[in-house]
């Protein structure tokens, strides 16, 4: 029991292969809404096979929740495969665009930070900059924190995409 | 024509051909603008179409037909209001895992999304209450989709599948060819249980001293009743069923404990609490069954057999989960088991004493017309019938006093608890099983939720019998108000009841009123003799309660003690 409590509320990344059909995203989203699971992020895009899309879903909960999420996803007819890819064996990235207040007095300071983070400035105006960055969620959080004092006007993050490292694939086999 | 040859048909004709290939003999439906092409084809078809009076009843009738026969039920409605009227019936079938194909018309593809006249996003609406659904965008896809729909509805854990058919899909001409095989890469239900798990289960069973078989509706769907019978007798283990599981084990057998849970028998619930091994078969540990989950079978190891992997470990911790078809798994399990002499003598003695001490009973004395007495008489006089129920006290009394002996003869809305289900379901059951006497055990509230189907049963000569246990209350809700809300009967007193006998007669059915205990048996016999649909309006004691009862959220051995009843 004590051991179980220790495992509580982990964040999990699910890589989900689905049929590339209209309505599939609604089905997945409706499943989460109905059963009250908490999605942190969900990204979808087509795979190397144009009939199949990959969703990367970040969800947090205890082991039971993750097990139910996986099983309920598997029950959807259009879901081909669900794999819980643990952080050690996968690489993940997120993209963020941050529009930050900037003028002549602090522009160079911001540029320095952006360089350190190996981010990019993709738009400049007299009163603002847009920064583009990719990386782990932590890295983006850190950059966001550093930009906050300058004044973040707008920001958008894509949510995580992830793939298993090495030759191993999350192909469908069922 | 074989399924191979291709011919040029309209979408509507292709649909009817496909239904014929699937062996569909009956459709319950209601026409409308966008399904006119389909109805035009039905006009010439051998498929029997039954025109209901409300689409909800079409879905329930298809559901009752499916539960009584084991075949997939089919209902058909037009777009918009027709489709949305099906929704309760679809949700009901979903909750109880009933194989159903619901066909709906849709506005033409070029109008979809424009708020066209009678447009509703029915595939969107039914996502959470269907096993799968389809909007056919191209008529060429129709044969494949119909084939998939029937396959998905009836295999694995069955459920409703909705197919939405735009009007232009019905009218366009295609090269029709019905596919022979199905390839859905993402849908491969598991049937055979894992041998290792079955072996583990056997080890637990061989060691158990106080086992209980806990049987749900999945056992009926799988047709596992013979195997359950063998297993129970081999182990000499008591068997309790859920409402949905009634019929999977004969309730007149000494090993039967009847139903468990909120309105379960005392002895069934005590047996669960005291057991050291629970063998759950096709049951899903519903909260109406388990009560407070931590107190449910606290000392038992649990073996759980179910075809739906998502049910295993969902509500309770399971020691041996086995995914697959109950019948196949039990066959394997029984042949693997090494039991020479059952080890349950002492356990069965204990159960016998509980049965003697806490029998299922009610106030029998006197002339009062008690609902339980009526159900007992129905059980006696019509032991080979099919019993459908509505929802409420009537349902629980039916569950207690109809001693179901065979599968598919007790049909009730378990998961959703839909008032208005029983009457149309009885209609569907009678259509599927015309040689059986089919009853709906009803409450006066529930029967009024689909009473218009009297017209359907009269018109189509479907002689179902309805026993209305008329307490002039929404009885089950009134019972809760009596027990938990200080007898404040807020809107449960139905003062404006119609004269049910006259209502029946107005539609061309027969009506019988019963006010005395002494008239009960004659009325039932008269109804059975009649070749018409019959309403019997039993004017029962008004404030009768369903006991035993466990309050919601309590442990299942914490019964309500009230007015000398428990
Ligand atoms: C469609 C629907 N609405 C409301 C309820 C809530 N409900 C459950 S039992 C019940 C009372 C049923 O009354 P009646 O049909 O007269 O049967 P009785 O309990 O008196 O036997 C109600 C209102 C329900 N189950 N279904």
């Amino acid at each position: 029991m004590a051991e179980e409590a220790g495992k509580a509320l982990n964040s999990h990344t699910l890589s989900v292969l689905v049929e590339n059909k209209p309505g599939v995203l609604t089905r997945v989203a409706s499943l989460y809404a109905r059963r009250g699971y908490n999605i942190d992020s969900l990204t979808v895009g087509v795979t190397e096979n144009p009939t199949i899309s990959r969703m990367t879903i970040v969800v947090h909960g205890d082991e039971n929740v993750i097990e139910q999420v996986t099983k309920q996803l598997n029950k959807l007819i259009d879901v081909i495969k669900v794999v819980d890819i643990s952080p050690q064996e996968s690489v993940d990235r997120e993209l963020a665009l941050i529009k930050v207040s900037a003028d002549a007095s602090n522009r160079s300071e911001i540029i320095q930070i952006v360089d350190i983070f190996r981010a990019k400035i993709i738009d400049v105006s007299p009163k603002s900059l847009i920064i583009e960055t990719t990386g782990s969620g932590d890295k983006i959080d850190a950059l966001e924190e550093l930009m906050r004092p300058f004044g973040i006007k707008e920001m958008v993050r894509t949510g995580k995409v992830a793939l298993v490292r090495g030759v191993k694939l999350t192909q469908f086999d069922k | 024509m074989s399924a191979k040859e291709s011919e040029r048909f309209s979408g509507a004709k292709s649909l009817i051909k496909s239904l014929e290939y699937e062996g569909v003999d009956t459709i319950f439906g209601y026409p409308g603008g966008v399904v006119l092409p389909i109805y035009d084809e039905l006009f010439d078809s051998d498929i029997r179409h039954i025109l209901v009076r409300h689409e909800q009843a079409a879905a329930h009738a298809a559901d009752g037909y499916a539960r009584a026969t084991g075949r997939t039920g089919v209902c058909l409605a037009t777009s918009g209001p027709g489709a949305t009227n099906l929704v309760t019936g679809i949700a009901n079938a979903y909750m109880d895992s009933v194989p159903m194909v619901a066909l709906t018309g849709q506005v033409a593809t070029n109008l979809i999304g424009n708020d066209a006249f009678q447009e509703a996003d029915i595939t969107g609406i039914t996502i959470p209450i269907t096993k799968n659904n389809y909007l056919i965008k191209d008529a060429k896809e129709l044969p494949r989709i119909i084939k998939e729909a029937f396959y998905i509805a009836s295999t694995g854990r069955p459920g409703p599948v909705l197919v939405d058919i735009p009007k232009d899909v019905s009218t366009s001409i295609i090269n029709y060819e019905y596919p022979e095989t199905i390839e859905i890469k993402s849908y491969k239900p598991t049937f055979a249980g894992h041998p290792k798990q079955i072996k583990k289960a056997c080890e637990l069973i061989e060691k158990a001293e106080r086992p209980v078989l806990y049987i749900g509706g999945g056992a009926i769907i799988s047709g596992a009743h013979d195997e359950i019978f063998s297993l129970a007798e081999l182990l000499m283990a008591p068997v309790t069923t859920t409402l949905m599981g009634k019929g999977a084990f004969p309730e007149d057998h000494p090993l039967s404990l009847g139903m468990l849970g909120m309105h379960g028998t005392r002895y069934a619930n005590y047996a669960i609490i005291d057991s050291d091994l629970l063998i759950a078969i096709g049951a899903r540990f519903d909260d109406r069954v388990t009560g407070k989950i931590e107190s449910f079978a606290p000392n038992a190891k649990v073996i759980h057999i179910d075809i739906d992997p998502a049910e295993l470990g969902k509500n309770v911790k399971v020691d041996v989960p086995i995914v697959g078809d109950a019948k196949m798994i039990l066959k394997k399990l029984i042949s693997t088991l090494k039991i020479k002499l059952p080890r349950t003598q002492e356990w069965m003695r204990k159960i016998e004493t509980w049965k003697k001490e806490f029998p299922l009973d009610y106030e029998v004395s006197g002339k009062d017309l008690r609902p339980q007495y009526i159900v007992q008489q129905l059980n006696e006089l019509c032991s080979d019938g099919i019993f459908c129920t509505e929802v409420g006290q009537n349902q629980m009394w039916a569950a207690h006093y109809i001693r179901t002996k065979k599968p598919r003869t007790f049909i009730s809305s378990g998961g959703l608890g839909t008032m208005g289900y029983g009457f149309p379901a009885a209609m569907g059951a009678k259509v599927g099983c015309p040689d059986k006497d089919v009853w709906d055990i009803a409450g006066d509230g529930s029967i009024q939720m689909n009473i218009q189907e009297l017209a359907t049963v009269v018109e189509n000569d479907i002689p179902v019998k309805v026993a209305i246990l008329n307490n002039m209350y929404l009885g089950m809700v009134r019972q809760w108000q009596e027990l938990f809300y200080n007898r404040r009967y807020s809107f449960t007193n139905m003062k404006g009841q119609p004269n049910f006998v006259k209502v029946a007669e107005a539609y061309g059915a027969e009506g019988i009123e019963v006010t005395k205990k002494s008239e009960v048996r004659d009325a039932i016999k008269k109804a059975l003799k009649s070749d018409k649909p019959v309403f019997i309006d039993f004017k029962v004691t008004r404030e009768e309660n369903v006991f035993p009862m466990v309050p919601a959220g309590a442990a299942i051995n914490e019964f309500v003690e009230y007015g000398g009843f428990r």
Side-chain angles (χ1 to χ4, degrees):
Chain A
M1 266 307 182
E3 182 198 273
E4 259 169 23
K7 277 192 284 190
L9 294 183
N10 281 331
S11 174
H12 287 250
T13 304
L14 304 180
S15 192
V16 184
L17 292 173
V18 302
E19 299 281 354
N20 181 12
K21 283 194 209 153
V24 178
L25 180 60
T26 321
R27 263 172 233 282
V28 170
S30 126
L31 188 146
Y32 279 83
R34 182 161 78 95
R35 298 194 181 261
Y37 303 135
N38 221 333
I39 309 190
D40 294 339
S41 80
L42 190 161
T43 58
V44 208
V46 76
T47 62
E48 69 288 353
N49 176 344
T51 68
I52 294 175
S53 295
R54 184 189 301 275
M55 295 186 179
T56 307
I57 304 176
V58 183
V59 54
H60 67 260
D62 61 20
E63 298 294 326
N64 290 338
V65 169
I66 304 302
E67 187 182 327
Q68 261 302 301
V69 170
T70 308
K71 284 175 167 176
Q72 294 294 344
L73 278 171
N74 263 317
K75 269 174 79 165
L76 298 178
I77 307 289
D78 291 325
V79 169
I80 301 165
K81 179 145 189 160
V82 183
V83 186
D84 184 356
I85 50 179
S86 64
Q88 308 92 282
E89 54 182 30
S90 66
V91 285
D92 58 69
R93 288 289 180 273
E94 199 176 327
L95 168 75
L97 300 176
I98 307 172
K99 186 184 289 180
V100 62
S101 298
D103 54 27
S105 72
N106 57 13
R107 195 171 288 134
S108 62
E109 194 184 341
I110 294 174
I111 292 172
Q112 265 182 17
I113 298 171
V114 166
D115 278 347
I116 294 168
F117 275 81
R118 287 195 219 138
K120 261 196 278 182
I121 296 192
I122 56 170
D123 185 59
V124 186
S125 77
K127 291 210 169 129
S128 68
L129 293 172
I130 296 180
I131 302 165
E132 172 197 315
T133 178
T134 59
S136 67
D138 287 351
K139 171 181 158 183
I140 294 172
D141 290 346
L143 182 58
E144 184 191 331
E145 275 315 301
L146 287 171
M147 287 302 126
R148 206 169 280 289
F150 300 104
I152 295 177
K153 295 181 148 184
E154 265 185 301
M155 175 165 135
V156 57
R157 291 171 70 154
T158 56
K160 182 150 90 173
V161 292
L163 275 184
V164 171
R165 281 181 193 279
V167 286
K168 224 178 117 198
L169 306 172
T170 42
Q171 299 284 41
F172 56 86
D173 53 15
K174 51 172 194 171
Chain B
M1 190 189 87
S2 89
K4 279 253 122 143
E5 294 167 53
S6 96
E7 283 187 49
R8 289 184 63 74
F9 289 154
S10 70
K13 182 148 190 182
S14 303
L15 170 68
I16 302 300
K17 285 277 163 203
S18 307
L19 296 178
E20 285 168 1
Y21 280 129
E22 291 298 333
V24 172
D25 57 17
T26 312
I27 295 176
F28 301 91
Y30 206 95
V34 298
V35 285
L36 278 171
I38 298 172
Y39 270 86
D40 195 55
E41 287 300 335
L42 265 176
F43 202 57
D44 297 327
S45 162
D46 288 338
I47 295 178
R48 181 179 186 192
H49 176 277
I50 291 173
L51 173 68
V52 294
R53 295 303 187 265
H54 185 300
E55 289 89 348
Q56 184 191 348
H60 289 327
D63 172 319
Y65 173 97
R67 293 197 212 201
T69 63
R71 299 196 291 268
T72 300
V74 181
C75 55
L76 167 61
T78 193
S79 65
T84 53
N85 267 352
L86 288 179
V87 166
T88 302
I90 295 172
N92 188 78
Y94 184 71
M95 291 291 277
D96 288 345
S97 308
V98 178
M100 177 191 292
V101 171
L103 304 166
T104 48
Q106 182 56 276
V107 300
T109 44
N110 64 330
L111 295 175
I112 291 176
N114 291 347
D115 302 326
F117 176 65
Q118 292 196 330
E119 183 189 356
D121 174 13
I122 195 65
T123 42
I125 290 170
T126 56
I127 282 176
I129 52 163
T130 49
K131 188 169 170 191
N132 199 26
N133 63 24
Y134 299 84
L135 166 62
I136 306 184
K137 291 264 185 59
D138 180 343
K140 286 202 278 305
E141 302 240 277
L142 186 143
R144 175 186 59 82
I145 287 178
I146 296 296
K147 176 108 186 170
E148 279 186 20
F150 276 86
Y151 178 68
I152 290 172
S154 61
T155 51
R157 179 178 184 167
V161 176
L162 181 137
V163 184
D164 201 21
I165 309 171
K167 184 162 185 185
D168 55 322
V169 166
S170 287
T171 51
S172 50
I173 304 293
I174 58 165
N175 285 325
Y176 177 74
E177 198 177 292
Y178 202 55
E180 280 184 349
T181 54
I182 287 222
E183 190 38 60
I184 311 173
K185 27 177 192 291
S186 50
Y187 179 69
K188 305 258 152 64
T190 309
F191 296 103
H194 199 290
K196 247 205 207 135
Q197 295 299 88
I198 292 177
K199 214 167 141 249
K200 269 201 219 154
C202 287
E203 283 160 16
L204 282 188
I205 293 171
E206 285 153 15
K207 273 196 281 197
E209 287 176 355
R210 300 186 309 281
V212 175
L213 270 63
Y214 151 47
I215 313 294
I220 306 235
I221 295 169
S222 141
H225 45 278
D226 287 343
E227 287 72 19
I228 288 169
F229 194 89
S230 310
L231 182 64
E233 293 213 318
L234 181 69
L235 306 180
M236 286 300 282
V239 183
T240 178
T241 75
T242 65
L243 185 72
M244 300 304 299
K246 267 178 81 79
F249 188 77
E251 291 182 307
D252 52 356
H253 191 286
L255 289 172
S256 171
L257 297 173
M259 187 170 73
L260 80 164
M262 176 179 278
H263 289 297
T265 61
R266 283 208 168 224
Y267 38 93
N269 288 6
Y270 287 156
I272 291 281
I273 296 277
D274 243 31
S275 64
D276 67 352
L277 175 69
L278 209 57
I279 309 173
I281 305 172
R284 61 191 177 89
F285 296 86
D286 181 288
D287 56 293
R288 281 287 186 271
V289 159
T290 62
K292 188 164 148 212
I293 201 109
E294 307 84 68
S295 329
F296 186 75
N299 306 313
K301 297 264 186 221
V302 178
I303 298 169
H304 190 182
I305 299 172
D306 205 295
I307 197 146
D308 181 356
E311 288 303 335
L312 303 171
K314 185 173 90 178
N315 297 332
V316 298
K317 200 177 127 294
V318 175
D319 299 279
V320 183
I322 314 179
V323 178
D325 173 65
K327 189 182 178 81
M328 282 175 73
I329 292 170
L330 288 176
K331 269 206 171 112
K332 189 81 215 297
L333 190 133
I334 291 166
S335 68
T336 317
L337 267 176
K338 293 188 212 65
I339 301 251
K340 287 202 198 75
L341 264 182
R343 324 172 46 175
T344 57
Q345 273 148 339
E346 207 174 308
W347 179 224
M348 286 314 296
R349 267 201 295 278
K350 197 164 180 186
I351 285 171
E352 279 316 309
T353 56
W354 282 331
K355 279 190 170 178
K356 282 209 189 78
E357 198 176 342
F358 308 107
L360 202 53
D361 66 358
Y362 61 95
E363 182 55 60
V364 208
S365 61
K367 280 203 253 147
D368 287 350
L369 183 50
R370 307 265 171 192
Q372 299 95 325
Y373 173 79
I374 295 163
V375 180
Q376 272 180 329
Q377 300 316 305
L378 281 168
N379 181 59
E380 255 180 47
L381 293 170
C382 191
S383 63
D384 201 26
I386 294 179
F387 289 93
C388 302
T389 80
E390 299 291 344
V391 169
Q393 294 181 316
N394 60 83
Q395 181 182 31
M396 291 303 127
W397 286 319
H400 287 161
Y401 295 100
I402 296 292
R403 307 190 78 197
T404 313
K405 289 164 212 74
K406 290 189 198 136
R408 303 193 180 283
T409 60
F410 189 89
I411 295 177
S412 192
S413 169
L416 198 64
T418 312
M419 289 172 71
Y421 170 77
F423 185 35
M427 166 166 96
K430 180 74 183 171
V431 168
C433 304
D435 300 334
K436 290 258 188 170
D437 291 315
V438 179
W439 285 87
D440 175 31
I441 296 180
D444 47 304
S446 297
I447 192 65
Q448 292 183 72
M449 284 221 176
N450 274 313
I451 201 163
Q452 75 287 345
E453 297 311 313
L454 262 168
T456 312
V457 292
V458 170
E459 177 184 302
N460 292 282
D461 202 6
I462 308 169
V464 293
K465 319 291 168 185
V466 182
I468 304 173
L469 309 179
N470 186 353
N471 52 18
M472 310 259 288
Y473 276 120
L474 297 175
M476 187 58 103
V477 182
R478 185 208 56 73
Q479 172 168 346
W480 284 52
Q481 289 172 334
E482 176 181 346
L483 299 177
F484 310 119
Y485 292 87
N486 234 343
R487 289 184 175 251
R488 287 154 54 83
Y489 295 166
S490 177
F491 300 100
T492 45
N493 193 349
M494 287 249 183
K495 283 173 250 163
Q497 298 300 43
N499 180 327
F500 287 113
V501 170
K502 282 194 181 163
V503 172
E505 286 169 358
Y507 278 99
E510 230 171 274
I512 305 171
E513 184 180 271
V514 174
T515 53
K516 295 196 209 78
K517 196 171 168 182
S518 58
E519 301 164 347
V520 171
R521 289 177 71 91
D522 282 346
I524 295 171
K525 284 186 200 154
K526 192 170 162 213
L528 282 170
K529 274 211 205 91
S530 168
D531 53 7
K532 284 189 182 173
V534 182
F535 268 21
I536 313 182
D537 182 7
F538 291 104
K539 304 271 204 246
V540 298
T541 40
R542 292 200 64 201
E543 297 198 19
E544 191 72 39
N545 287 330
V546 180
F547 290 117
M549 177 183 194
V550 174
I556 56 165
N557 58 352
E558 291 168 8
F559 291 92
V560 175
E561 309 273 348
Y562 186 81
F565 274 86
R566 37 187 207 185

